Amino acid sequence: MSDFAVHPYATAIGAEVTGVDLSRALDDSTWSALRDAYLEYLVLFFHDQKLTPAQQVEFSRRFGRLEEYPFVHGIDGYPELIEIVKEPDEVINFGHLWHTDMTFREQPPAGAVLYALEVPPVGGDTLFANMYLAWEMLSEGMKAVLRQLRAIHDSGTPQRHTDTFKGMKMQHRQGSERQITAHPFVRVHPETGRESLLISPSYCHRIEGMTDEESRMILDHLERHATQDILTCRFRWQTGTVVIWDNRCTMHIALEDDLAAMRGDMGFRRVMRRATIGV
Ligand code: SIN
């Protein structure tokens, strides 16, 4: 515990944690400090980690029971871990639009743990947004309107989650079905009691009782509002980095910033291993 330290990463969200080896069992005081930092900073970054699949599962389970990803099957022997792959000639990443994970479910997951197996020296960053602040920084007028509304969150076809990505086609989970649900725009964090804005642009395109055009105007505005620089951080990965985010009050996006692939050349390969924490 003596070297354990938490370093805020940006003003709105995120902290880097040093002095902890996630492959080992955490003692109670380290665990409690980590838990506090998670609730305060919403996303934690840990560099220079070496995690076997079993160790990633064990660490992730400290935060709650693990869920299998509905459209992607798990890696051999670990159904709760999926591999996220971008090949060098691909431009888009899995998670390339702003989203809160799996909001097409009635109970979206509580969080996720992503472990970087292969990342380029530059590029492939992930951005995170603080949705508590996104809610708090709306006008009282807009909050009052949003409190009356619900948005439809739609997974799209199950194939969309794998077939769009070369490296993930083979991982498609057979028999999975499209999922659609409606959520209010504001939700309350079960541990902190704070309200946060719930939008998920990757899955959410319509507001109940409104036309597509009316929905678009409001949803586009909310996306711009929630993803302004002041509410986000941009994280650069290293191989061996572990990131955990609180899906109950954040959004994220895996940037499409592979310029070489965009120009039709060979760009970078990026491989992550992901665990999803259920509620
Ligand atoms: C995800 O959205 O689950 C993946 C994010 C990333 O690869 O940066």
Side-chain angles (χ1 to χ4, degrees):
M1 181 70 186
S2 57
D3 296 333
F4 179 91
V6 176
H7 315 270
Y9 190 77
T11 51
I13 183 167
E16 199 175 320
V17 181
T18 53
V20 61
D21 177 352
L22 303 182
S23 69
R24 296 162 160 240
L26 302 174
D27 60 59
D28 287 348
S29 60
T30 306
W31 168 244
S32 149
L34 211 57
R35 190 79 209 172
D36 289 349
Y38 178 59
L39 293 177
E40 181 172 356
Y41 295 104
L42 323 185
V43 187
L44 299 179
F45 311 111
F46 309 80
H47 287 300
D48 302 320
Q49 302 293 324
K50 278 203 171 70
L51 289 186
T52 62
Q55 288 163 336
Q56 182 173 357
V57 165
E58 195 170 328
F59 170 66
S60 308
R61 276 207 185 122
R62 296 277 331 230
F63 290 85
R65 71 177 180 84
L66 301 190
E67 265 183 14
E68 293 182 22
Y69 202 90
F71 307 121
V72 185
H73 67 67
I75 63 173
D76 279 354
Y78 297 92
E80 58 282 83
L81 297 179
I82 62 163
E83 216 162 71
I84 295 176
V85 183
K86 183 193 102 52
E87 296 295 359
D89 59 341
E90 289 185 297
V91 174
I92 58 171
N93 274 300
F94 182 86
H96 66 112
L97 300 171
W98 276 104
H99 63 286
T100 294
D101 286 330
M102 297 185 229
T103 53
F104 44 81
R105 297 194 134 180
E106 255 170 61
Q107 298 261 28
V113 176
L114 206 59
Y115 175 51
L117 294 172
E118 192 176 334
V119 293
V122 286
D125 297 352
T126 303
L127 267 63
F128 295 91
N130 181 330
M131 302 304 279
Y132 289 136
L133 293 179
W135 177 254
E136 288 160 14
M137 287 169 66
L138 288 169
S139 67
E140 290 308 315
M142 180 56 97
K143 284 186 198 166
V145 170
L146 292 179
R147 282 189 194 282
Q148 309 298 317
L149 301 174
R150 297 193 329 155
I152 312 290
H153 296 248
D154 182 348
S155 66
T157 65
Q159 287 74 14
R160 165 196 172 198
H161 299 257
T162 46
D163 288 9
T164 325
F165 315 99
K166 272 189 187 169
M168 298 185 67
K169 269 198 174 91
M170 298 304 292
Q171 300 182 46
H172 185 68
R173 184 191 283 273
Q174 299 302 329
S176 50
E177 287 181 3
R178 181 175 191 162
Q179 299 182 32
I180 305 177
T181 193
H183 291 292
F185 278 94
V186 58
R187 59 179 174 165
V188 177
H189 194 289
E191 292 184 76
T192 65
R194 289 176 70 186
E195 289 183 320
S196 72
L197 177 66
L198 177 57
I199 53 165
S200 197
S202 184
Y203 307 124
C204 174
H205 305 287
R206 210 163 52 74
I207 298 175
E208 272 182 349
M210 290 196 179
T211 64
D212 286 350
E213 196 180 343
E214 290 163 343
S215 302
R216 207 52 289 144
M217 268 182 340
I218 296 177
L219 293 171
D220 285 351
H221 167 72
L222 292 176
E223 180 177 355
R224 272 196 308 277
H225 166 76
T227 60
Q228 54 188 301
D229 291 349
I230 190 81
L231 301 184
T232 62
C233 73
R234 175 173 178 154
F235 183 69
R236 178 179 284 190
W237 297 86
Q238 296 166 13
T239 299
T241 302
V242 172
V243 173
I244 175 161
W245 62 84
D246 189 338
N247 196 52
R248 301 165 296 183
C249 52
T250 61
M251 284 204 298
H252 59 279
I253 182 172
L255 280 191
E256 268 180 46
D257 63 349
D258 192 336
L259 211 49
M262 260 177 217
R263 289 176 173 147
D265 296 328
M266 280 296 155
F268 58 75
R269 189 161 195 268
R270 183 178 184 274
V271 184
M272 302 283 181
R273 200 167 64 205
R274 175 192 155 115
T276 300
I277 302 160
V279 285

